[in-house]
Amino acid sequence: MALSDYEKEVLAQMERGLKEEDPQLAHTLTSSLPVNDSEPTRLSPRRIALGSIVAVVGLAVVVGGVSAQILWLSITLGTIGFVLMVGGVLWALKGDRDTAPRKQPRSGSDSSSFMDRQRDRWENRDRN
């Protein structure tokens, strides 16, 4: 069921309020893990750079293995280089996931005071 224009505006207003009041929380919520595994994860530039470097090093090892004159050295270097190339590409394309545990409120009062403030802001939104 699609949201009405009014509901979309209310959600946008709540999002803007959250970004103004607690930008760090808003950033954490927008960069959190996807709801399900079918949603794509965010690619990290650091992962892409490191994975690309490893893949290029693997390619250089493969070329070195091909140019080696000794058969067992050629096969060994080719295999190691291939594994490095595949591993680098997989590392570069792997989504960046936050594995740190989520912080829980120390007591129920922390979350209830937050909810009370949100409820008060919601009730007072038209008065301002």
Side-chain angles (χ1 to χ4, degrees):
M1 185 171 160
L3 296 175
S4 68
D5 291 336
Y6 173 74
E7 291 169 331
K8 290 178 184 177
E9 178 59 35
V10 169
L11 287 173
Q13 185 180 23
M14 289 172 61
E15 182 180 4
R16 285 190 301 270
L18 176 64
K19 286 181 181 178
E20 290 173 4
E21 184 173 303
D22 194 351
Q24 184 177 6
L25 176 63
H27 175 71
T28 301
L29 292 176
T30 57
S31 65
S32 65
L33 294 175
V35 176
N36 58 34
D37 288 336
S38 65
E39 294 180 16
T41 56
R42 190 178 292 184
L43 292 178
S44 168
R46 180 179 293 164
R47 280 188 180 268
I48 292 172
L50 290 175
S52 300
I53 290 170
V54 170
V56 169
V57 167
L59 180 62
V61 172
V62 167
V63 170
V66 169
S67 65
Q69 298 295 321
I70 304 170
L71 181 62
W72 67 270
L73 183 62
S74 179
I75 292 172
T76 304
L77 288 177
T79 304
I80 292 171
F82 180 76
V83 169
L84 284 173
M85 285 191 313
V86 171
V89 169
L90 290 177
W91 179 260
L93 296 179
K94 182 179 176 185
D96 200 16
R97 293 184 178 234
D98 182 18
T99 58
R102 304 268 185 232
K103 291 183 181 177
Q104 297 293 327
R106 289 184 208 143
S107 66
S109 64
D110 291 340
S111 62
S112 65
S113 64
F114 172 76
M115 292 305 294
D116 291 338
R117 285 193 320 244
Q118 294 304 316
R119 188 177 9 263
D120 292 341
R121 289 188 67 208
W122 179 254
E123 291 171 356
N124 297 328
R125 70 185 184 283
D126 292 329
R127 296 181 190 157
N128 293 337

